[in-house]
Amino acid sequence: MSLYDAQTVDSCTWPDTPEGRMARDFIVPLVKHGSTAYVTDRTTFQVLALDGLRLPLAVNDAEYENSALHSTFSRYITLQMTGVTAEAFGAARAAVMRGAMHSVGALLKAAGINKVVLVDHWLVLRNLHSQPTGEQVDRITAFLTERFPHHAIVFCALNPAGYAPLLNTLVERGYGLLYAAHTRMTLPLQEVSKQVRENRRRDARLLEAAGYHVVDGREVPDCEPRLEELYRALNGGKYHTNLQFTQEWYRWTLRQGLLTYKLAVKDGRVDGFYAHHVSQGVLFSPLFGYDLALPQELGLYRGLVFQLMNDALDVGLTIELGPGADPFKSMRGSVPVPRWSAVYTEHLAGPRRLAWRALQRYANDAVRPPTVAMLRKVDGDAVVGFGPPRTPLVSPLGQTPLEAARKVREQLDALEAALDAAARLPGEARLQALSPLSQTLHNWPQPMSRVVALRERLTKLEHEARRKPAEPQGPTPAEHARRLLESATRWGDTALVAAHLGEATAPHLKALVEALRGAAGSVGVVLTATRGDKVVLVTAASAALRGLGLDAGQLMAAAAPCVDGKGGGSPDVAWGGGSRADGVDAALDAARGRVRTHLGIES
């Protein structure tokens, strides 16, 4: 096990993986240049290496003006006091509460409550924590308590949705759990109400309707001062948080691609932005800002939040929106999830251990219950996992974000494979196979890009299955007439075309008769076709044959009785029909006999 500081961090080796390279690019500059090169909080970053793990440490001593990210005092006293107002609790009660908090705060300061080592601490990036085994936790604890004997060892603000196993391991190894805060999350296939879907649908149109384009931050040069201004205006004033980011932070994280920046741009001006990162199946945005001077009717905040949520849900990831604006976020489908800090103090002096135990009771029994009450007013039965900390902890979402992401991929892969199989089926069989797939795809909770593409393919396959097959391409009537004439029965200069055409269409039969009766020479025609169980009969005689005294009516009179039918027409063409399909051959023979008899030819 090794510990690296600003002088030695360059000698630290990192796993040659995308995650390892990202960790190196993010942590090494913080260790070498110090936190204040990038943020207003003062803390000392180091790197703890054991086995294949590389854990960033934030070492704090007495920085009580730091934000809640690095100051235990700020998390539990300063920020809590900002919410104790006369408007919220009444003047008298607020005064008593603030007085009590001042007293608690004085005791905590006297006990050096900010003297901590934050383990696996990624500044504002979340969901990047490792999952050390119990044996590794023992080694980490032993090493850090020896190296920092006067510091509490803290794994800070862990989310049980993804890190319940780690929290359980820490408790088993002697760590105590303190309620830290809450966050808000939405699973990719989470069922939502009709009202939530309608809210999202309206939010989706806001940015475009207001004339904004959402662009990648790398496409907007020299945007860092504007990003700093927008973030500071929102988070330094409206929400009274202390942590701010320098312009170097924005340049560094943009240039290195450590965060993905999305900017709302109109007429060349950046009016809003957010930045996010993805880890462990979760997309989280640590930075968000917009121009507070613009009218609310523009819907800039709502539009940016929709875009942020869509970035995650469109690719099957869980979205973590963080705390704040709980009613708004609840109406977009997010649910609250608690976060817990795990603290080890067994190596500290007795008074300091007592101070931490008092803080544990304060956090769990005084800070947590009002938060739960507030959330129940907003989210009702969706408030899960906020009870007193008891192990084993489990994900309050019912599954981890990684499990949810894997489930989305598996379901979409299965649907794609089912569409491939259906595409190989003909007609009605294909439609039957597509029916349940259509129901699944059109009821999908989130209109992901991949789902939209699968819907389009399904619709195309349905149309193909319903399309009537093209009629087989046979010979043209003129070509058919030529072939029939070539095979006709001949007696000297007289020819008789006698043939059964099967399922010939009416247009083809009519055109064929016209072509045959117009042929040169003495030609008689007797053709039969079928229409289901009926027989169509047509006879014709050329002008030369009629000159010999034989016409279409005489041919019809000879053939029709054989199919139990009758017919009539002119001397050149006669049409008829019958009901005996098995009499077709006899009808053709009867017509041949009639011609031979008329010509005086013996059989």
Side-chain angles (χ1 to χ4, degrees), residues 136-146 153 155 170 173 175 344:
Q136 288 173 325
V137 168
D138 288 340
R139 291 164 57 197
I140 292 169
T141 305
F143 180 87
L144 292 179
T145 55
E146 180 181 357
I153 311 303
F155 287 75
L170 291 168
R173 261 51 189 185
Y175 285 72
Y344 188 86

Side-chain angles (χ1 to χ4, degrees), residues 445-502:
Q446 171 69 18
M448 303 166 59
S449 298
R450 190 175 174 190
V451 170
V452 171
L454 290 176
R455 286 176 184 170
E456 292 174 351
R457 187 181 177 204
L458 181 140
T459 300
K460 181 179 179 181
L461 290 173
E462 288 176 332
H463 287 167
E464 290 175 354
R466 293 191 179 101
R467 189 182 303 144
K468 292 183 178 180
E471 293 291 339
Q473 294 295 319
T476 64
E479 174 64 19
H480 200 178
R482 184 186 65 77
R483 295 179 186 176
L484 289 173
L485 284 170
E486 289 178 351
S487 59
T489 303
R490 295 184 178 275
W491 298 275
D493 294 334
T494 298
L496 175 65
V497 175
H500 177 63
L501 305 181

Side-chain angles (χ1 to χ4, degrees), residues 368-497:
R368 179 187 58 82
T371 301
V372 175
M374 179 274 292
L375 291 173
R376 289 198 187 281
K377 291 180 181 179
V378 174
D379 298 281
D381 293 339
V383 181
V384 177
F386 280 82
R390 294 186 178 92
T391 55
L393 295 174
V394 297
S395 170
L397 301 177
Q399 57 186 321
T400 70
L402 281 176
E403 290 169 343
R406 182 169 61 250
K407 181 179 179 181
V408 173
R409 289 194 303 271
E410 290 174 349
Q411 290 188 5
L412 291 178
D413 288 346
L415 284 169
E416 189 166 3
L419 286 177
D420 290 341
R424 295 189 289 269
L425 298 175
E428 189 61 33
R430 178 188 293 183
L431 291 175
Q432 290 178 0
L434 292 176
S435 179
L437 305 182
S438 176
Q439 184 175 3
T440 299
L441 284 170
H442 286 93
N443 290 324
W444 198 265
Q446 171 69 18
M448 303 166 59
S449 298
R450 190 175 174 190
V451 170
V452 171
L454 290 176
R455 286 176 184 170
E456 292 174 351
R457 187 181 177 204
L458 181 140
T459 300
K460 181 179 179 181
L461 290 173
E462 288 176 332
H463 287 167
E464 290 175 354
R466 293 191 179 101
R467 189 182 303 144
K468 292 183 178 180
E471 293 291 339
Q473 294 295 319
T476 64
E479 174 64 19
H480 200 178
R482 184 186 65 77
R483 295 179 186 176
L484 289 173
L485 284 170
E486 289 178 351
S487 59
T489 303
R490 295 184 178 275
W491 298 275
D493 294 334
T494 298
L496 175 65
V497 175

Side-chain angles (χ1 to χ4, degrees), residues 267-537:
D267 300 327
R269 184 186 67 252
V270 178
D271 285 342
F273 82 99
Y274 60 86
H276 67 69
H277 74 97
V278 174
S279 182
Q280 300 297 310
V282 179
L283 185 148
F284 172 68
S285 174
L287 301 176
F288 194 103
Y290 62 96
D291 194 333
L292 297 176
L294 295 173
Q296 278 193 331
E297 301 82 67
L298 281 178
L300 191 55
Y301 172 73
R302 291 164 55 196
L304 285 169
V305 171
F306 169 81
Q307 188 68 41
L308 171 61
M309 294 185 68
N310 198 59
D311 286 348
L313 301 181
D314 189 55
V315 291
L317 296 173
T318 295
I319 173 69
E320 181 177 358
L321 291 178
D326 288 278
F328 170 83
K329 293 173 183 176
S330 178
M331 290 304 295
R332 271 69 189 169
S334 73
V335 296
V337 176
R339 298 170 70 203
W340 301 92
S341 292
V343 183
Y344 188 86
T345 60
E346 293 305 308
H347 59 296
L348 299 181
R352 294 194 61 209
R353 290 202 306 272
L354 289 175
W356 274 100
R357 287 170 188 163
L359 177 60
Q360 184 177 19
R361 293 191 61 180
Y362 169 76
N364 295 345
D365 299 337
V367 175
R368 179 187 58 82
T371 301
V372 175
M374 179 274 292
L375 291 173
R376 289 198 187 281
K377 291 180 181 179
V378 174
D379 298 281
D381 293 339
V383 181
V384 177
F386 280 82
R390 294 186 178 92
T391 55
L393 295 174
V394 297
S395 170
L397 301 177
Q399 57 186 321
T400 70
L402 281 176
E403 290 169 343
R406 182 169 61 250
K407 181 179 179 181
V408 173
R409 289 194 303 271
E410 290 174 349
Q411 290 188 5
L412 291 178
D413 288 346
L415 284 169
E416 189 166 3
L419 286 177
D420 290 341
R424 295 189 289 269
L425 298 175
E428 189 61 33
R430 178 188 293 183
L431 291 175
Q432 290 178 0
L434 292 176
S435 179
L437 305 182
S438 176
Q439 184 175 3
T440 299
L441 284 170
H442 286 93
N443 290 324
W444 198 265
Q446 171 69 18
M448 303 166 59
S449 298
R450 190 175 174 190
V451 170
V452 171
L454 290 176
R455 286 176 184 170
E456 292 174 351
R457 187 181 177 204
L458 181 140
T459 300
K460 181 179 179 181
L461 290 173
E462 288 176 332
H463 287 167
E464 290 175 354
R466 293 191 179 101
R467 189 182 303 144
K468 292 183 178 180
E471 293 291 339
Q473 294 295 319
T476 64
E479 174 64 19
H480 200 178
R482 184 186 65 77
R483 295 179 186 176
L484 289 173
L485 284 170
E486 289 178 351
S487 59
T489 303
R490 295 184 178 275
W491 298 275
D493 294 334
T494 298
L496 175 65
V497 175
H500 177 63
L501 305 181
E503 293 284 343
T505 64
H508 184 78
L509 190 56
K510 290 178 181 179
L512 182 59
V513 170
E514 288 300 312
L516 288 170
R517 76 185 186 88
S522 176
V523 179
V525 179
V526 182
L527 299 175
T528 60
T530 52
R531 296 281 190 279
D533 58 352
K534 301 295 183 182
V535 177
V536 176
L537 182 63

Side-chain angles (χ1 to χ4, degrees), residues 5 53 78 152 200 220 225 233 249-250 307 351 356 377 385 400 462:
D5 59 17
L53 303 180
T78 306
R200 291 180 182 178
V220 183
W249 163 273
Y250 293 100
Q307 188 68 41
W356 274 100
K377 291 180 181 179
T400 70
E462 288 176 332

